[in-house]
Amino acid sequence: MVVVDVPSSFSHIETYSYYLLDMMVVYAWIIVVTIFVAYGVHYYGVNALQEKEDEESCNFYEGSWVRDESYPLYDSLACPNIDYQFDCLKYGRQDLNFLKYRWQPNNCDLPRWDGKDFLEKLRGKKIMFVGDSIGHDQWQSLVCLLHASATQTPIIHTDSENSSIHNFTIPGYGTSVIFMRQQYLVDIDYEDKIGRVLKLDSIKNGELWKQMDILVFNTWFWWNRNDSGKPWDYIQIADKIVKDMDRIEAFKLGLTTWVDWVNAEIDPNKNKLFYQGITPTHWKGADWNEPQVRNCSMETEPLSGSTYPSGLPPQVLIMEDILKKISKPFHLLNITTLSQLRKDAHPSIYNGHKTMDCLHWCVGGLPDTWNLLMYATLISDDH
């Protein structure tokens, strides 16, 4: 056997070479991992940003009406206690085309209505609509939507003594769906000697409102009501009482009082707040480029496209300016334009009064979409 002596200096060189090789492998891995992480952060960051941009670019309120044979979402004839103003099928409307349209946003899809999911979201909660008959319209629609979904549990209907509060309770879910009639949101009080006084700086029902989990407010139509229909005799602001005043100015003052109440009293951790935008009427065909048309009585289809020929009514801009002063989280159900396109969705003569009505809306019908938009907002907030 031949034994070869390895000089110690060579052994040190070999060891150092292995050390260098190991270090090169380590550095190579560090470079690979750094590139991967950097690319991954960029890739996922860009994707997350894109998803955020896509979400922000999705305006539920910009779109058009499309025919959908799966509609309506429920049979209104099977829904109990629809108010005589809105129960179009009961009072003889034969054309059902108006029930077959779904709102389609331009850049996204609304979630399909899931009544059982909505009931779960409302489990143990109270939702209250406060306002005029248009708020009542939306409340009636939600009651019908939930009634069609809560097939295994009874729904109990109760009214207050003066019928200003209507409550549908769904015991199986511990849910209350309430409507409170307060057309101006501010108070009307009876004063000795002068009678009914519309108080533009007074809200007394706020403590009741704060007990609700979800609140949906609206007001407008009664502010411009003519003398024969108004439910007040005088208007008061601070210590000044007048027989009448400019109604637009009164609307501004009353809505500002409500905004001040919201800013002072609403707790976003307890109260989710919606404001229902102003809905249109369809009394003049000139508004939709049919000047020969006098009302909504013969209308059976919505307008096509995404814009209304006569544009937004001026009171919408007034409302939006005042709502900008709200400092608490809230959501505007911005339903004006999409409702303007639905000249076909009014009761016309198919109501309990048997008079022409181009102000309110059939249930089922357009108000179902308002509630679908509210449902979509609640889903988005959950995410």
Side-chain angles (χ1 to χ4, degrees):
M1 176 181 294
V2 178
V3 177
V4 180
D5 245 347
V6 179
S8 61
S9 60
F10 183 82
S11 177
H12 287 314
I13 292 171
E14 184 180 42
T15 301
Y16 184 64
S17 297
Y18 283 128
Y19 172 75
L20 286 177
L21 183 60
D22 288 344
M23 290 302 295
M24 289 173 66
V25 170
V26 170
Y27 283 134
W29 272 109
I30 289 173
I31 291 169
V32 169
V33 170
T34 301
I35 292 172
F36 177 79
V37 170
Y39 175 77
V41 169
H42 172 75
Y43 176 78
Y44 289 110
V46 168
N47 268 8
L49 180 61
Q50 185 62 49
E51 287 176 5
K52 187 175 188 333
E53 288 176 351
D54 289 345
E55 183 179 334
E56 289 177 350
S57 68
C58 177
N59 185 336
F60 286 151
Y61 301 98
E62 293 179 354
S64 58
W65 291 97
V66 298
R67 191 170 178 86
D68 188 332
E69 293 302 329
S70 70
Y71 271 47
L73 298 172
Y74 58 87
D75 177 7
S76 63
L77 292 174
C79 182
N81 302 108
I82 297 180
D83 191 270
Y84 62 87
Q85 296 179 93
F86 319 131
D87 203 351
C88 302
L89 298 193
K90 176 180 177 179
Y91 288 100
R93 183 161 183 172
Q94 296 296 311
D95 69 290
L96 304 183
N97 199 48
F98 76 101
L99 294 172
K100 292 292 184 181
Y101 286 91
R102 172 175 55 83
W103 180 247
Q104 177 60 57
N106 289 332
N107 298 318
C108 58
D109 293 320
L110 282 174
R112 180 74 181 180
W113 170 257
D114 185 338
K116 292 189 181 300
D117 178 61
F118 198 20
L119 281 167
E120 286 298 334
K121 292 183 185 303
L122 294 177
R123 184 180 287 276
K125 295 181 179 180
K126 293 178 282 190
I127 176 172
M128 176 181 274
F129 295 81
V130 183
D132 59 26
S133 56
I134 304 300
H136 191 198
D137 221 328
Q138 185 176 355
W139 171 79
Q140 290 264 228
S141 161
L142 183 59
V143 168
C144 289
L145 285 163
L146 297 179
H147 176 265
S149 302
T151 54
Q152 303 302 315
T153 183
I155 293 182
I156 301 170
H157 180 204
T158 57
D159 291 336
S160 63
E161 287 186 9
N162 60 1
S163 295
S164 64
I165 297 178
H166 306 273
N167 182 13
F168 273 91
T169 304
I170 308 170
Y173 290 86
T175 298
S176 291
V177 185
I178 307 163
F179 171 71
M180 181 175 190
R181 186 178 300 280
Q182 190 156 340
Q183 301 99 309
Y184 300 93
L185 300 183
V186 293
D187 296 328
I188 298 176
D189 287 339
Y190 187 83
E191 301 281 349
D192 290 340
K193 298 182 181 178
I194 60 174
R196 303 164 300 174
V197 181
L198 175 62
K199 299 189 174 183
L200 299 182
D201 56 358
S202 174
I203 291 178
K204 294 180 178 177
N205 287 314
E207 291 304 313
L208 174 62
W209 299 347
K210 289 192 297 182
Q211 297 174 30
M212 303 297 133
D213 300 281
I214 301 174
L215 286 159
V216 187
F217 291 94
N218 90 293
T219 187
W220 163 245
F221 284 111
W222 283 81
W223 292 96
N224 214 27
R225 197 76 178 256
N226 61 33
D227 287 347
S228 63
K230 63 183 178 64
W232 48 266
D233 304 302
Y234 290 87
I235 297 176
Q236 180 175 354
I237 180 71
D239 294 329
K240 185 179 181 180
I241 297 176
V242 296
K243 187 66 178 174
D244 206 344
M245 64 181 291
D246 181 276
R247 302 295 181 79
I248 296 296
E249 289 304 312
F251 171 63
K252 291 178 181 179
L253 291 169
L255 189 57
T256 298
T257 295
W258 176 80
V259 167
D260 291 342
W261 176 85
V262 167
N263 291 338
E265 301 293 341
I266 283 292
D267 180 354
N269 295 315
K270 295 173 59 179
N271 317 115
K272 189 174 291 290
L273 181 65
F274 290 86
Y275 190 89
Q276 183 204 71
I278 292 172
T279 60
T281 60
H282 290 95
W283 295 105
K284 299 181 297 181
D287 289 344
W288 61 90
N289 287 340
E290 294 186 42
Q292 74 282 3
V293 175
R294 299 183 59 185
N295 54 46
C296 62
S297 63
M298 303 300 291
E299 303 303 317
T300 59
E301 294 183 348
L303 291 169
S304 60
S306 301
T307 58
Y308 193 61
S310 61
L312 290 173
Q315 58 267 23
V316 172
L317 303 180
I318 294 170
M319 174 202 72
E320 289 177 349
D321 282 344
I322 295 172
L323 295 184
K324 288 176 184 176
K325 299 173 186 175
I326 296 179
S327 61
K328 301 292 179 71
F330 84 106
H331 187 85
L332 172 63
L333 292 171
N334 193 11
I335 57 176
T336 305
T337 299
L338 68 87
S339 301
Q340 285 179 315
L341 300 173
R342 293 307 306 271
K343 58 186 174 63
D344 60 317
H346 295 284
S348 66
I349 61 169
Y350 302 108
N351 59 78
H353 291 299
K354 297 296 182 183
T355 55
M356 185 59 61
D357 184 352
C358 300
L359 164 66
H360 299 104
W361 308 90
C362 294
V363 175
L366 174 65
D368 303 332
T369 297
W370 306 343
N371 284 311
L372 181 54
L373 289 160
M374 182 169 67
Y375 173 59
T377 302
L378 292 171
I379 290 176
S380 298
D381 288 351
D382 286 348
H383 292 167

